[in-house]
Amino acid sequence: MKKEYNYHITSDLREINKDSFDHFLATLELEDNKFDASIDSLISSKEEGIKILNEKLKKSLQQNHHHENFKTETLNFELESFKSENQTVIWYIEEELKALAEMKIVYAFKSIEINIKKLISNSFKIKNKRDFFNWKTVETFLNSKNINLQKVKGYEEIYQLKQLNNSIKHSKKVEEKTLKLIFNKEEYDRVPTCPFFSEKIITYKHLLIFYNRIEPFIKKFLSDLCNMIYKELYIFSKDKIENLAEDLVLRMEKEDALELIDKIKKHY
């Protein structure tokens, strides 16, 4: 038996679907990135640990300078040993900090993928959501809906995040082409180069500088994408209606078009 609709059911459903976009935007505004907050707290704690170690080393060097006239071979050895141990501990902490910075970047892009998938699948009533973790699939699908992903506000920054995320996940080091993409020339030139391997030395500080720069664009990007999808689905200008009519006329026989017109009228 064919399903019959009436004005109230159709209009109510349309309003519910439209309201879902407001809910999505409200979620973006109210969502607390608890992961970010936890990681930032851990980063601050480890940076404080480095600060304490550096202060201890500085104090030891000052004491050594104060007793310079009483230096002994044993004292020099102890000082160098303490200095070496301190530097080793600091190196390990900085490696941990780099891993935490990488986690922030990977988590941020993962949350973008999840939100894009949720937005597209809910907006276009798609049951098979699996493919929408593929960036190319997302671009192709949105293009088929007259939405150019590259014109969404913040696309450039999100694309940079995507490339850095891929580099972190799939390479042992951040590739040169990715570094030149995520940093401007001045920033890139400030990144130190390893004298032995002629490679850029990326520390956790460089990763956090990048993350802090692009983080505000995450909500801007998702919000603008949401608005563009809403506009495509629910805003009908005269030109859009004309183009839609011409497209149907080119494909439909007269009797089919008249039947479609009759069906549409029954919903209003």
Side-chain angles (χ1 to χ4, degrees), residues 53-268:
L53 288 169
N54 279 325
E55 286 174 351
K56 284 182 179 179
L57 181 58
K58 183 179 179 182
K59 187 176 180 181
S60 294
L61 291 172
Q62 286 173 341
Q63 288 175 343
N64 180 68
H65 180 72
H66 181 69
H67 299 291
E68 195 164 342
N69 294 330
F70 304 98
K71 276 186 181 179
T72 65
E73 189 175 324
T74 302
L75 187 63
N76 280 332
F77 175 78
E78 288 176 351
L79 179 64
E80 287 301 316
S81 179
F82 177 74
K83 183 179 177 182
S84 177
E85 286 175 9
N86 246 33
Q87 289 173 337
T88 300
V89 173
I90 289 172
W91 181 85
Y92 275 111
I93 295 174
E94 287 181 341
E95 285 299 295
E96 290 176 341
L97 283 165
K98 186 177 180 182
L100 292 172
E102 289 175 346
M103 287 170 65
K104 280 170 70 75
I105 289 163
V106 171
Y107 179 87
F109 188 70
K110 185 68 174 179
S111 70
I112 292 170
E113 286 186 310
I114 290 170
N115 277 293
I116 289 176
K117 174 180 155 185
K118 180 170 67 174
L119 179 57
I120 291 176
S121 59
N122 291 348
S123 301
F124 297 101
K125 312 304 174 191
I126 295 169
K127 292 182 180 179
N128 184 10
K129 307 173 185 179
R130 195 173 301 171
D131 288 342
F132 289 100
F133 278 120
N134 183 292
W135 192 259
K136 192 65 181 175
T137 300
V138 169
E139 284 194 296
T140 301
F141 176 82
L142 290 175
N143 278 333
S144 74
K145 302 298 180 182
N146 302 311
I147 297 167
N148 187 340
L149 192 64
Q150 295 186 25
K151 291 186 177 180
V152 179
K153 293 175 183 176
Y155 173 84
E156 182 179 344
E157 288 76 14
I158 301 308
Y159 183 76
Q160 291 173 359
L161 178 65
K162 170 185 172 294
Q163 295 303 99
L164 181 55
N165 166 77
N166 290 345
S167 189
I168 289 170
K169 288 172 67 176
H170 304 299
S171 303
K172 291 183 179 179
K173 61 182 181 180
V174 181
E175 298 161 328
E176 190 79 7
K177 62 179 181 180
T178 303
L179 290 176
K180 290 182 177 180
L181 175 69
I182 67 175
F183 295 127
N184 62 38
K185 189 178 185 308
E186 185 179 342
E187 291 170 333
Y188 177 83
D189 289 342
R190 284 204 300 265
V191 178
T193 301
C194 176
F196 303 107
F197 305 105
S198 298
E199 295 176 353
K200 290 289 186 179
I201 303 172
I202 300 299
T203 68
Y204 81 95
K205 291 182 179 180
H206 298 115
L207 296 176
L208 290 181
I209 287 171
F210 168 77
Y211 179 81
N212 291 333
R213 176 173 65 80
I214 62 91
E215 194 272 336
F217 291 94
I218 295 174
K219 282 186 180 179
K220 288 180 183 179
F221 173 81
L222 291 171
S223 178
D224 196 46
L225 177 59
C226 180
N227 289 330
M228 289 177 75
I229 291 175
Y230 179 90
K231 183 179 178 181
E232 175 60 26
L233 289 176
Y234 297 108
I235 305 299
F236 291 88
S237 64
K238 288 184 178 181
D239 286 343
K240 188 174 178 180
I241 292 171
E242 181 65 32
N243 291 334
L244 183 61
E246 286 181 3
D247 180 61
L248 290 173
V249 166
L250 289 171
R251 294 186 288 119
M252 297 183 77
E253 298 293 339
K254 183 177 180 180
E255 58 270 23
D256 295 328
L258 292 174
E259 184 179 352
L260 176 62
I261 291 169
D262 185 54
K263 292 287 186 184
I264 291 174
K265 284 182 177 180
K266 287 180 180 178
H267 289 285
Y268 288 90

